[in-house]
Structures are given as structure tokens and as C-alpha cells.
Amino acid sequence: MAVPADPPDNTPDGFGGGDDEFRSDEYRAVVFDEDFVRAARLQEFSAQERMGEHARAVRSRSIWSGSGPSRPRTGTPGRAARQGMALVLLIAVAFAAAVYMGLRNPATPLPERHTEPLSSTVVPLAPAGPVPGGRPADLFAHSPAADYRIGAAGITLPAARRTHHFTEGQVVTALSVAKDYLVQSSLDPDVLAGAATRPVRVLLDPDQLAQFDRSMTSPSGDGRHAATGWLVRFDQNTAVVADPRVRVNGALVYDEVSPDVLEVVTDHTFVYAVRPATGAPAPADGASLFTVRRELRLRFDREDLTARRAELAAAYVMAGPQDCSAEPAAGFRPATAGTGPTTVGPAASDPYASGRPRRTAGLCGVLAPDAGATPPVSPAP
């Protein structure tokens, strides 16, 4: 029986039988079935198709062209594959364009803003007459601080409204941080006694910490490193606080000084009852009043507002009664009860006066005679 590969009528004359049998066996392995032949048929494009798409004159009728029976993916890619390739190519082009534009037009970095160091002025106010003494409650009642609130209650916040570049919430944050700074730096008992600085330090911008630390460890009256420019501190060898109920009065105002900086100015008078720092307990009527007027200028950028901290840009401080010959940079040295007039400054200053404090021309002032406490009237014998 003849097989498809055998020629008709067996082997023609003139051909050897051995090699022909080998070739016949070799070609028997190559079988072109009907499905393969049908799938491989070529179809010619029409004239319109050739003109419109500039396609080849013939096209494959394999499965990848959308017709014919299923065959392994060995032919030309179909529509879905072409769409996928086009999408990949589009993404690659977009990515390359983005990289190119980034190299041609790099983003302009925001200007780096440097925190300015604190500039402080501390002016001691000498007593104009003998320093009145008595019980703290009586001294407060007969002083201009009689109607002042006690402690943090005397630091009230103004109504907050948004500015051009800062929201109302950011303004509220700046005001609350400013109040926290006043409370920690003017009312904390450990800070007043010189036993702690951390409550104040944690509220400062990190760029000012080196200056603050130097002011605490090596204070000087150079306008940059006075400890009393940052906070209220008493020289524990001179006087200590006799009554923790400090009287406070003042105001805060805020303003947008630039699109990136919000400024809060605080102006407060703090009145402390102090007594001499002696080994033995001081008599109950041996207290006197010491007044500190602080005008602080605090600034906040957006990073400060997020971290709830402040930049103390400037501080103007008047404090008395104290001897002008004693350097107040490390701590205040109050003139205690019964101390007479000492060094006389160039002009009288009233730390209780409303409005912005009157700045003295020199490094010492005189506590206005009516600014101190009036001695309480002793009952008739």
C-alpha cells in the first residue's frame, strides 16, 4: 500500500532504492494537516485598504488577525496585542517627557529662612525712696496691681481672625504658644528660682537653642546672652518669691509681617511678692513687691506653628526696684523691704503705665515714686 509521500508507480527508473527510502522516511515526519493549511492561507488587501492604511498587499489569516481556527501564537500580533503595545509606548513617551521637562525646568527650591538671634535689653529700675515692706496681700491691695488677675488668668488672648496668608487656626496656635511661653518663663516657680530652664527651652525654635543654653550657663549683658532676656529669674542669694500668686496684666497683638511669618507681640506687667533670701525664716511682714515689665516679640513660620514653638526675636525688660550697679543678666536682685534709694538713673519709668513701655536712654532707670506699693496704714494703738 502506498503512503502519501510515495510517488505513484513506485520508484522511477534510474534512481537507486536505498537513498530514496531514506528520503521517503525523512519527509513522512512532516505532515501538513488541513487545519494548518487553512490557517496559513493568505488574503490580499483590497485597493482601498492598501491606499488608506499603507498596509502590506497580503495579510495573514491566522488567529492573531481575528479569523481562522485557534493556533499557537506564532503569527503577527492581533488587535489586543497591538493596543497593549501602543499603551506601553504611550506610557514610555510620557515618562520620558516628564524626565526631560524636569531636567530642563527643575523646581525652584524655596528660599531658606534663617532664625535671627534674640536681641534683648534689660533695664534695672532703682528705687526712688525706701522700699515699702509688709504682708504680700496688703502690699498687693495698696499697689497699682490691686485689680490685676492672678497668674495665667492675667494673660488673655485677643479675638483671632485669619490673615492674608494664615488661617484662623494658625493664628490661634501662635497666640496660644505665646501665652504658654509667658506662663513658663514668667510664672513657673522652678524657673523663677533658677532651678529649671526646660519648660522655656522646649518652646523655642531649635536654631535658638545654642544661644539660649549659653545665656543660661554664661549670662552676660551683651544684648544677646542675658538670661533675664529669655525668662524671669531671681538671684537666690538676694531674694526669693514670698507668694506664688503673681499679679499679671497686659495684652497680646498679632500681625502678618510676611507671607511666611506671623508675629505676636506681648506686653505684660508681672508683680511678685519677694522676701530676703536668709537662712532663718523671714517675718511675715518682711515682704516687698518687685515689678517686671516684659515686651516680647515672637515670630512663627509654618514649621514653628506645626511644632508649636516660637522664635523669640526681641525682648525689652524693665525690672525694679533693684540696684543699678548690680548686673541683672544672670538674675534679678530685688531691693528688699527697707532698702533706701541707690543709684539714680536718667529718668523715672513706670512699669505699670499702659501702652508701650517708655524706653530709657541708658542702662538704668528710676522706678517712678507712685509705681511702688504704698505702705499699708498701721492701725492706731
Side-chain angles (χ1 to χ4, degrees):
M1 177 179 178
V3 296
D6 292 336
D9 299 327
N10 296 325
T11 303
D13 295 337
F15 290 90
D19 291 340
D20 291 340
E21 291 178 0
F22 175 79
R23 291 191 184 93
S24 176
D25 293 337
E26 178 183 3
Y27 286 107
R28 287 193 185 97
V30 181
V31 180
F32 296 91
D33 60 13
E34 183 179 357
D35 290 339
F36 176 84
V37 174
R38 184 183 297 112
R41 286 189 306 167
L42 300 178
Q43 179 178 342
E44 183 178 282
F45 282 95
S46 66
Q48 183 177 0
E49 288 176 329
R50 292 197 299 272
M51 293 177 61
E53 299 180 358
H54 300 284
R56 293 179 300 171
V58 293
R59 60 185 175 184
S60 172
R61 295 292 292 174
S62 67
I63 185 175
W64 294 99
S65 62
S67 63
S70 300
R71 298 293 294 171
R73 298 187 176 185
T74 58
T76 305
R79 178 175 301 179
R82 290 196 298 270
Q83 290 177 348
M85 293 175 61
L87 180 60
V88 172
L89 181 60
L90 179 61
I91 294 175
V93 171
F95 180 79
V99 173
Y100 175 78
M101 294 301 294
L103 295 176
R104 283 286 303 273
N105 302 295
T108 303
L110 296 176
E112 184 178 356
R113 195 178 72 84
H114 298 283
T115 301
E116 297 295 330
L118 167 66
S119 174
S120 63
T121 302
V122 182
V123 180
L125 301 177
V131 177
R135 296 177 180 272
D138 295 333
L139 293 173
F140 283 128
H142 293 84
S143 75
D147 296 329
Y148 287 6
R149 295 182 178 181
I150 297 175
I155 306 174
T156 57
L157 303 182
R161 295 181 178 85
R162 65 166 296 128
T163 65
H164 188 63
H165 295 95
F166 290 90
T167 66
E168 180 180 333
Q170 290 174 320
V171 173
V172 170
T173 298
L175 291 172
S176 62
V177 172
K179 178 175 180 176
D180 290 344
Y181 188 88
L182 287 173
V183 170
Q184 299 301 331
S185 64
S186 308
L187 301 175
D188 187 288
D190 292 333
V191 172
L192 298 178
T197 60
R198 178 172 172 76
V200 180
R201 191 179 190 274
V202 295
L203 294 174
L204 292 172
D205 187 280
D207 292 342
Q208 290 188 314
L209 295 182
Q211 182 188 10
F212 176 83
D213 293 340
R214 179 179 170 185
S215 301
M216 298 301 112
T217 57
S218 303
S220 65
D222 59 358
R224 287 286 189 270
H225 301 96
T228 47
W230 299 92
L231 47 79
V232 176
R233 170 191 284 181
F234 293 102
D235 180 0
Q236 296 299 290
N237 295 321
T238 304
V240 295
V241 176
D243 188 343
R245 295 171 295 180
V246 182
R247 271 44 174 193
V248 185
N249 187 54
L252 296 89
V253 294
Y254 65 90
D255 187 26
E256 180 184 308
V257 296
S258 77
D260 297 317
V261 178
L262 193 65
E263 183 177 83
V264 176
V265 177
T266 73
D267 184 7
H268 290 77
T269 298
F270 301 86
V271 185
Y272 306 86
V274 298
R275 60 176 176 80
T278 58
D285 59 353
S288 61
L289 297 185
F290 188 80
T291 305
V292 180
R293 177 76 174 267
R294 303 182 75 196
E295 182 187 272
L296 307 180
R297 191 175 301 273
L298 300 106
R299 291 179 176 172
F300 303 83
D301 57 24
R302 301 182 190 281
E303 187 176 354
D304 291 327
L305 293 172
T306 302
R308 294 190 62 84
R309 65 195 185 203
E311 303 169 14
L312 184 56
Y316 184 82
V317 182
M318 298 188 301
Q322 61 182 324
D323 191 344
C324 286
S325 63
E327 174 60 57
F332 297 123
R333 300 178 181 180
T336 54
T339 304
T342 57
T343 306
V344 177
S349 299
D350 184 1
Y352 294 92
S354 59
R356 301 194 65 177
R358 177 182 177 181
R359 301 177 185 271
T360 63
L363 298 178
C364 183
V366 176
L367 187 65
D370 57 348
T374 303
V377 178
S378 301

